Structure formats: C-alpha cells, structure tokens
Amino acid sequence: MARLHARKNLFLKEEDYPLLFDTTVLGRHPYCEIVLEHGAASREHAKISREKGRYFVEDLHSRNGTWLNQKQVERKQPLFNGDVIRICDIELVFYDDSAVRSPTTNDSRIDTGHEITFDESSPESLHITSQIPVKLLTEKGTGNYSKTENNSSDATLSQKSSHEQRFRALIDLGRDIGFQNEESFARLAKRLLKFFPAADCVYVFLQDEITKRFVLHAFQHRDPAFVNEKLHISRTTLEKSASQKVAILSDDISEDSWFGGNQTLLDSRICSIMVTPLLDSRQNVFGVIQLDSRSTGKRFNSDDLDTLVSIAYQVSITYENIRRYEAFAHERALEREMSVAHKVQKGFLPIQPPKIENYGFFDYYQPAKYLGGDYFDYITLPDGRLAVALGDVSGKGVSAALLMAKLSSEVRYSLVTEPTPADAMKRLNNIFCEVRWDSRFITFLLTLIDPKKHTVTMLNAGHNPPLLCDICVVPEYVAPDSPFVREIADNLKGLPLGVQPDATYNQLTFELSQGQMVAIFSDGLTDAMNMEGQPFDLSRIKKLLSSQTQQQSVDAIGRCLIDAIRAFSGNAPQSDDQCLVLFGRF
C-alpha cells in the first residue's frame, strides 16, 4: 500500500499516513486528510491523487509552494518510491513498491517500461558528416522548412524524395495530431513508426522551459515484447541537432564520424539513426524527434530524412497553432470569469446612496482592472447613525479584490458587535494583522453621521485626509482664514489596518453645518495621470470643489468632479482604482 512517511520535526511526529483514497489533501484545515499544523501552510496546500494505479502530487495554489525532491511543483508530477515532498518545514517521504523510479526520471515525463540512460559525452568529439540544415520560413504568410544539402566527401544527400509518401504523411498527420494532451505525442510516435518501416524506436522530446534540457514526452517501440531492453540516448546528439538546427542522418553509425566517438550508441546496437529539431515561428527549437533502427538489415536513407524534415515542419506548425489557440481560449475564458467576478464584486458595494432628510450623497467606484481593491459602504447602525466606510487595499487585481470582500463583511460585523467605533477599528486591525494575509495592509477611513445631532465622527487608519467643503455660501461673507475647502482628520494619523497588532485609533467629532459637504476618496483620484504623465493631484480637487460654492446638489458636484478627472486623463490608461464618496447637509 502506498503511504507517506513524515520525518520528525517540530510540527509532526514520525509516523506513516497510508494513502487510502483516490484524493488525499494536505493542509492546515482540520478537514484535510493529512492535517499540517504549521502556520505557514495553506488551508488546503497540496493534493496526492491516484490515477490508474499511479500517484501524483499537485500544489493547490498554496502561498509558500510545494517541493518535490528540492524542485518546486508547478504542475501535477508523478510520484516514485522514495520521493521527498516538502511543505514549508515538513518533509514527507512517498513509499510505494510498485512505483520504482527509473534512473533518469527527471529526463522523462512518461513511463516507457524500459531502463533509460542518457549519455552526456562532450559535443566537441562529434564531427558532422550527414545533415540537412532546417529553417522554418514564414515570409508572406507561408511556412515551410528550407532544406540545404550538405555535400561532403563522406556522404552526399540526394534532393530527390518520395512525394507520395510525404503527401500521405502530411495528410495523416493533419488529421490525427491535435496536441491537446500527452496522448497526442504518443499518437505521433505511433504514426512515425508506420511511415518509416526501418525504424524500431521513436522518441519525441520537448525542451523544458526552465532547465532547457530535452525531456522525453513520447516513446514507441515497434516490438512491445522488448520491454526489458535498455534504451541509450545521446543527449549530445540531441543538443547538437538543436543548437545547429540540423537534421541528422546516419545510415551506419559504426562508420559515421558524427557518432564515431560515442561508444554509448555503439553499445546499444543502434545501427542507423535520424534526428531532427522542431522549430517555432521565431526559429527557436522547442523539441527534437529521434528515430533509430536496431536491425542490421534496416537502415534509413536520404529520402527518409527528407520526409522526416517535412513531417517535422507539419508537427511544428500544428503544435504552435494549437498552443496559440489554447492561449487565446484560456485568455477568453479568463476574461469571461473576470467579467463575472466584476459583477460579483459590485454586489458587495451599495446599489444606491442612502436617503436621509436634509442630506445628499454621491458615490463613484471604478477599478483599474476587472477587479479592484478599493471599497466603500453605507451601514445603518441600530442607534440610527449612518456609517460611511471607505478603504484601499494595497495592490490591485484578484488578490486585492478578495481582501476587499473580506473587509466588506468584517466592517459590518465589527460595527454591530463592538461597543465603540475605536473598538471596531481595533478588531479590524487585528484581523488583518494575521499571517494569512501575506503582509497586505489596508488604508481605511470610518465616518459615522448622526442625522439627529448633525455630528460627524471620524477614525483614520492611514488613509488620506477627507475634505470639508463650504458649498452653499456667498464668497464675500467667508473669512480669509476660513477657506472653502480644507483637510480634516489629518491629525489622527492612525496606522493602516494590518500593520501592527493591537494598534489604537483616535476619533474626531465635529458638527456638520448646513451648507457643508465632506469629500472622501482613494488616492486613485489624485494619482490619475494625463498623457504627459502629470497627476491630477489634491490641489486640482480642492480648486474644483472651491468653484462649486453655490451648487445645491451633492450629486451634481460629484459628477462634475469625475468628469473633470476623465477629461484630464484623456486616453491615458487608469493606473489605480478610483473611489469617491460625497455627503453634505442642506
């Protein structure tokens, strides 16, 4: 039975965890099959799955990652007996007697049923004798492999090829090869055995994007009975073909100077070999196809190599087109998901401003992307006061939006369960100081309006100060030391939420006179850039609000401000989320 053996450390005692189910989840959540009591582990950190008798490990988008044999798991990886899985400081060893590791598993993503050895001989010992330089041509919207004959004293390649065979090969490949999954490469290998009667083995290698080494993705042997036969692959040959972008042919390895210094190939009873690189439209090699013959009576010829080069062209074009289509389809699917998420996020925000006698409200919210980290809300308290909350989560995008959703629910709960606004702020701060939020912080402004007493109470957690505006007044009756627009609550200077546990927050209470308005906004308004890279800045906001001294409608003032910011920005992209709330007494 397969099992995981935990190595003793501060978080786990040494014990075995049998893998009894098709899916075993490891994480900090108590519902996981294997519970990891480690603060840095995610709630659902990694998964062990069983598919057709084989076991695989997969990271579940954890915060700190999952590691297999000291290499980070970026996609589902097969497990072999003795593999070490590391999650944070916890090490678990996978044991399964039926999953014995091939000596070169790192070089193969498939189980060939054979023992594979890779020869690492120095490429300097190789000498070119038989080759076809290949290049993917894309001029004028067409693509083809150019083939230049290499005339040497040792071998001369004929330009004549079997058009009938090549035409049939291309038709069959175009119909059969899709490359949506690993099975497509296996189908390609089988098809190549059919096209080349002299071939005994077919290998399809793709280049790893990180290590740049060629990894075996498909293998086919003409005679399945030879399951115990050792497979010897010359990595030098693969890399030589890829680096020089040449298709290689040897109809007799024992006499070919290209392979003359490679004893591994000679010992493996290979008598004839063909290798060709796979090129994308940017002339970059992304894979290699190798065919070899292990029967002395069957050898490849120049027509075979010419056909293989043509097939490689078809494979390259098909593979790249499928990759582009998948990338496009993934992008469209992501856009649809983000569009739905945008609608869901807007559901966290108020549908319309509140209606309170003798008060006016205006609000505006526009994320820089599909999702934003800005937040605002109106919350009616049991004592009749109205809470106006506005926050700005550090960062943008999905992670900020998820934290904004958490803030939305916690603000409402804190205001109705805590005795004072200061206690509600303290509770919010401690929640976002927890390690699970990955050191994110939130600037936050809490405003409480008492419509009976006409008082306003403010608490500021690192947010930019709001503005108090005198709007329904006659300019000549305003004292010189009392400007129309002035900053308030700038002396509170509380720390943003999530910075320091148990931080305290002071409050400011003042009376909102008739004809006064308060403007609360995120820094997305002041940081709005024009095409010249200049910000809208606070001075422009103050100047615009000062010009609205005889305006009777808060809604009209808000729309005027947003229109001014849009006109200033022009076609410049929005760099940050924008949020604005205005309220005034009339």
Side-chain angles (χ1 to χ4, degrees), residues 9 29 32 64 113 118 160 191 193 197 203 219 250 252 304-305 316 329 334 492 519 532-533 540 568 571:
N9 58 25
H29 197 284
C32 292
N64 292 316
F118 280 78
K160 182 180 179 181
R191 181 68 64 180
L193 282 178
Y203 308 82
F219 166 79
S250 174
D252 190 348
D304 290 330
L305 185 62
S316 298
L334 182 60
L492 298 179
E532 288 73 35
R540 286 186 170 88
F568 176 83
N571 294 325

Side-chain angles (χ1 to χ4, degrees), residues 470-475 484 544-552:
D470 298 309
I471 50 178
C472 294
V473 297
V474 180
F484 294 119
L544 187 141
L545 293 177
S546 297
S547 67
Q548 307 294 313
T549 54
Q550 299 186 40
Q551 178 61 253
Q552 298 293 322

Side-chain angles (χ1 to χ4, degrees), residues 81-140:
N81 193 49
D83 278 349
V84 178
I85 301 171
R86 180 170 63 83
I87 297 176
C88 304
D89 299 324
I90 301 172
E91 289 189 346
L92 303 108
V93 184
F94 174 79
Y95 288 109
D96 183 9
D97 295 337
S98 63
V100 178
R101 175 184 296 277
S102 170
T104 55
T105 301
N106 290 337
D107 297 303
S108 178
R109 289 196 59 192
I110 61 172
D111 183 7
T112 64
H114 301 257
E115 179 182 343
I116 305 176
T117 58
F118 280 78
D119 175 59
E120 306 283 352
S121 301
S122 172
E124 284 74 14
S125 63
L126 300 180
H127 301 281
I128 301 175
T129 57
S130 303
Q131 61 173 324
I132 293 181
V134 296
K135 182 173 67 173
L136 192 64
L137 302 180
T138 57
E139 289 84 355
K140 299 181 180 179

Side-chain angles (χ1 to χ4, degrees), residues 510-582:
F510 61 92
E511 181 179 351
L512 187 67
S513 302
Q514 188 171 358
Q516 288 186 321
M517 182 187 73
V518 174
I520 305 170
F521 49 90
S522 66
D523 56 10
L525 271 67
T526 55
D527 292 344
M529 297 287 182
N530 62 11
M531 296 299 292
E532 288 73 35
Q534 299 172 334
F536 192 78
D537 69 43
L538 184 60
S539 63
R540 286 186 170 88
I541 293 181
K542 289 182 176 181
K543 183 178 180 180
L544 187 141
L545 293 177
S546 297
S547 67
Q548 307 294 313
T549 54
Q550 299 186 40
Q551 178 61 253
Q552 298 293 322
S553 169
V554 172
D555 183 79
I557 295 175
R559 296 182 184 279
C560 181
L561 176 58
I562 296 303
D563 289 343
I565 294 176
R566 289 174 176 171
F568 176 83
S569 300
N571 294 325
Q574 183 178 330
S575 59
D576 199 1
D577 305 327
Q578 297 179 351
C579 185
L580 170 68
V581 175
L582 305 178

Side-chain angles (χ1 to χ4, degrees), residues 414-571:
S414 298
L415 286 174
V416 297
T417 57
E418 298 297 328
T420 67
D423 291 324
M425 292 283 285
K426 184 176 181 179
R427 179 183 181 275
L428 287 171
N429 176 65
N430 287 337
I431 288 174
F432 291 103
C433 280
E434 297 177 9
V435 68
R436 55 179 169 160
W437 306 119
D438 197 24
S439 300
R440 291 294 185 103
F441 64 88
I442 304 170
T443 64
F444 183 71
L445 187 73
L446 178 62
T447 302
L448 295 101
I449 306 171
D450 189 335
K452 296 178 181 178
K453 298 180 181 180
H454 304 300
T455 59
V456 175
T457 300
M458 287 186 172
L459 297 94
N460 193 342
H463 200 73
N464 48 288
L467 302 176
L468 180 62
C469 314
D470 298 309
I471 50 178
C472 294
V473 297
V474 180
E476 53 265 28
Y477 291 105
V478 178
D481 60 345
S482 178
F484 294 119
V485 180
R486 54 194 179 276
E487 297 180 19
I488 55 176
D490 57 338
N491 59 338
L492 298 179
K493 302 297 183 182
L495 291 173
L497 304 179
V499 173
Q500 180 179 322
D502 297 322
T504 58
Y505 296 91
N506 300 320
Q507 65 183 43
L508 168 71
T509 301
F510 61 92
E511 181 179 351
L512 187 67
S513 302
Q514 188 171 358
Q516 288 186 321
M517 182 187 73
V518 174
I520 305 170
F521 49 90
S522 66
D523 56 10
L525 271 67
T526 55
D527 292 344
M529 297 287 182
N530 62 11
M531 296 299 292
E532 288 73 35
Q534 299 172 334
F536 192 78
D537 69 43
L538 184 60
S539 63
R540 286 186 170 88
I541 293 181
K542 289 182 176 181
K543 183 178 180 180
L544 187 141
L545 293 177
S546 297
S547 67
Q548 307 294 313
T549 54
Q550 299 186 40
Q551 178 61 253
Q552 298 293 322
S553 169
V554 172
D555 183 79
I557 295 175
R559 296 182 184 279
C560 181
L561 176 58
I562 296 303
D563 289 343
I565 294 176
R566 289 174 176 171
F568 176 83
S569 300
N571 294 325

Side-chain angles (χ1 to χ4, degrees), residues 209-222:
E209 295 179 357
I210 299 176
T211 65
K212 302 303 180 182
R213 292 169 71 89
F214 289 104
V215 179
L216 184 63
H217 278 244
F219 166 79
Q220 287 293 324
H221 195 297
R222 185 173 297 279

Side-chain angles (χ1 to χ4, degrees), residues 202-272:
V202 176
Y203 308 82
V204 180
F205 300 89
L206 294 183
Q207 192 174 52
D208 186 271
E209 295 179 357
I210 299 176
T211 65
K212 302 303 180 182
R213 292 169 71 89
F214 289 104
V215 179
L216 184 63
H217 278 244
F219 166 79
Q220 287 293 324
H221 195 297
R222 185 173 297 279
D223 188 353
F226 289 95
V227 295
N228 295 322
E229 183 177 355
K230 293 183 179 181
L231 303 179
H232 297 273
I233 299 171
S234 171
R235 186 181 298 282
T236 306
T237 307
L238 301 179
E239 294 178 351
K240 192 80 171 182
S241 173
S243 62
Q244 297 189 3
K245 299 178 183 178
V246 294
I248 303 166
L249 163 67
S250 174
D251 59 0
D252 190 348
I253 285 181
S254 63
E255 297 181 0
D256 198 327
S257 61
W258 177 288
F259 307 102
N262 196 322
Q263 191 62 36
T264 301
L265 292 179
L266 297 176
D267 293 341
S268 64
R269 299 186 298 109
I270 298 175
C271 63
S272 185

